[in-house]
Amino acid sequence: MKIYLDNAATTYPKPDSVRNAMLNYMTDLGASPGRGSYASALESSRIVYDCRESICKLFNFDKPENVIFTANITHSLNMLLKGFIKPGCHIITSSMEHNSVLRPLFELKNSLGIELDIIDCDENGLINVENVKNAVKSNTKLVVMTHCSNVVGTIQPLEEIGSICKENNIDFIVDCAQTAGAMEVDFKKLNCSALAFTGHKGLLGPQGIGGFLITDAFNEKCNSLILGGTGSLSSQLVQPDFLPDKFESGTLNTPGIAGLYAGVRFLLKTDVKSIEEKEMNLAKIFLDGLLNIDKTILYGLKDIKGRTSTISVNFKDMDSSELSFLLDYQYGIMTRTGLHCAPLAHKTIGTYPSGTLRFSIGYFNDEKDINYTLNALNSILK
């Protein structure tokens, strides 16, 4: 028996339609979008554009040409941060960020001398909005923040933070790696300047595809880091300044985009709210079961409200890495241990440097998986 509970790392399994869409592209099309006027190339271009439109629908965004495809959300965040931040900027972020935000910011702090405020969250990984408001200075140019912790699943109050940014004319970048496809993510409600996403998690697409949505105003302030062929204005030796070409140099990962398009269509057809309800119902069963195990140390919110289905724990008198190994070796249950690429988050919740054992439930799990996992934990811990 195999139980996959590492959906915060990447979702598995994928819908059949994702595999079929990628296979169809590879076997029946194969051409690069924007690189030819023959039928297969035009059809490839349609797939890419249709995917942009479906992403707009999913995130309540109005401009398909402002949907930019990248290799993954780490590339997206690096492009946005390094393309925008200049010397003298003051940047605000949180202590629950992934290294895809922290490492670029620390590099920019060292190379450009920017001012960086990392707002400490509480022991549940939740940020205090007033602390963000109080951190704003005259030279604050940007707030960048994760929508939800990849360690403890705590959802941040980003609509309130977005309102603070709007009131103070501060740009706002949202990392929705853990929430896109798992709950409603509304670009307009967040008041963000750019929204970075990855394709292989809640959007149910393959690895190797991600992107960002960007407003016209923020685009004007953001430089492109990678220049090259775009299939447009090929006679010119300067990069096109219009979207999406400004940020999309080189051949796109069209098989990945075809798979992402199928994943997003699955989400829209199934309804994200239904997906969230199913995942959270399973998470509640799992949380209740964990809290009935005497040795459980649960991190993050104890209640199901205000969190996603990502759950981090440790168990008294049991090494989490050994436990993860036994779950896999003896029971076929796949989990993740360690620091989850978020060292400051673990310092915030008190689990640095050993980390936690993380269970992350997905749409294709069921109640049988959860009960089997709880029984396995009880058996090992006894």
Side-chain angles (χ1 to χ4, degrees):
M1 189 170 186
K2 295 289 184 182
I3 305 294
Y4 185 79
L5 291 174
D6 195 20
N7 289 279
T10 193
T11 50
Y12 179 82
K14 309 294 185 183
D16 290 343
S17 58
V18 172
R19 179 188 66 245
N20 293 338
M22 297 179 72
L23 182 62
N24 176 68
Y25 171 79
M26 295 296 291
T27 56
D28 296 338
L29 292 176
S32 291
R35 302 302 195 275
S37 58
Y38 48 93
S40 293
L42 294 174
E43 180 59 26
S44 296
S45 295
R46 285 190 202 91
I47 290 171
V48 172
Y49 186 77
D50 288 345
C51 187
R52 295 190 208 274
E53 284 199 317
S54 69
I55 288 170
C56 283
K57 186 174 182 181
L58 182 69
F59 292 124
N60 190 24
F61 190 68
D62 296 330
K63 302 192 76 172
E65 66 272 24
N66 289 38
V67 176
I68 311 300
F69 290 120
T70 66
N72 49 54
I73 193 169
T74 299
H75 282 210
S76 298
L77 289 163
N78 272 265
M79 290 172 71
L80 291 166
L81 293 171
K82 294 183 177 181
F84 170 76
I85 295 174
K86 307 293 188 296
C89 286
H90 173 238
I91 314 298
I92 297 172
T93 191
S94 86
S95 66
M96 295 304 291
E97 302 306 309
H98 190 276
N99 276 341
S100 56
V101 167
L102 293 174
R103 285 179 173 175
L105 289 179
F106 270 86
E107 193 273 334
L108 289 166
K109 182 179 179 181
N110 291 332
S111 63
L112 299 182
I114 64 168
E115 295 181 60
L116 177 62
D117 265 337
I118 300 174
I119 307 299
D120 287 329
C121 298
D122 66 18
E123 67 277 6
N124 292 319
L126 186 65
I127 200 162
N128 185 320
V129 175
E130 286 301 309
N131 290 343
V132 177
K133 191 172 184 178
N134 292 336
V136 172
K137 300 162 64 173
S138 60
N139 63 330
T140 305
K141 301 298 182 184
L142 180 71
V143 174
V144 54
M145 207 162 290
T146 184
H147 198 181
C148 163
S149 167
N150 72 310
V151 177
V152 293
T154 301
I155 300 167
Q156 303 292 12
L158 293 197
E159 288 186 27
E160 296 174 63
I161 293 170
S163 295
I164 292 170
C165 291
K166 187 176 181 180
E167 290 166 8
N168 291 275
N169 196 30
I170 298 168
D171 285 300
F172 184 32
I173 297 174
V174 172
D175 167 1
C176 71
Q178 295 295 320
T179 53
M183 58 179 282
E184 180 190 70
V185 180
D186 189 312
F187 191 97
K188 294 176 182 176
K189 287 182 180 179
L190 291 171
N191 281 312
C192 54
S193 306
L195 180 80
F197 66 88
T198 195
H200 70 103
K201 298 189 182 186
L203 298 188
L204 303 176
Q207 289 96 333
I209 188 66
F212 59 89
L213 292 69
I214 189 168
T215 63
D216 287 332
F218 193 58
N219 169 51
E220 291 178 4
K221 306 172 190 177
C222 198
N223 297 321
S224 179
L225 298 184
I226 301 173
L227 312 178
T230 59
S232 60
L233 303 184
S234 295
S235 63
Q236 298 185 9
L237 298 180
V238 295
Q239 188 80 358
D241 61 358
F242 52 83
L243 298 178
D245 299 43
K246 175 181 173 180
F247 295 107
E248 288 185 350
S249 292
T251 302
L252 291 173
N253 175 11
T254 315
I257 293 171
L260 174 60
Y261 179 35
V264 174
R265 279 185 295 169
F266 179 90
L267 293 172
L268 293 171
K269 182 179 179 181
T270 307
D271 184 53
V272 171
K273 190 65 180 176
S274 297
I275 291 171
E276 180 183 10
E277 287 175 358
K278 179 181 178 182
E279 290 184 1
M280 297 316 296
N281 285 336
L282 294 176
K284 186 178 188 311
I285 295 169
F286 191 51
L287 273 175
D288 290 345
L290 285 172
L291 293 173
N292 281 326
I293 300 174
D294 290 338
K295 296 183 178 182
T296 302
I297 305 169
L298 176 66
Y299 303 99
L301 299 167
K302 307 299 184 285
D303 192 273
I304 206 67
K305 294 179 181 178
R307 59 148 52 246
T308 62
S309 58
T310 294
I311 297 166
S312 266
V313 293
N314 279 313
F315 294 91
K316 296 175 185 175
D317 306 319
M318 186 71 181
D319 179 77
S320 61
S321 296
E322 182 184 0
L323 179 53
S324 180
F325 169 77
L326 292 173
L327 285 170
D328 181 35
Y329 184 73
Q330 295 182 357
Y331 296 93
I333 299 168
M334 292 166 269
T335 61
R336 184 175 174 186
T337 59
L339 296 176
H340 314 110
C341 302
L344 296 190
H346 284 276
K347 289 182 178 181
T348 299
I349 65 173
T351 55
Y352 185 87
S354 57
T356 60
L357 171 59
R358 186 182 71 182
F359 300 84
S360 44
I361 298 164
Y363 179 71
F364 293 105
N365 289 121
D366 56 28
E367 194 169 336
K368 183 173 67 174
D369 295 341
I370 303 306
N371 290 329
Y372 178 80
T373 301
L374 289 169
N375 289 335
L377 284 168
N378 275 297
S379 296
I380 294 171
L381 292 167
K382 285 178 181 177

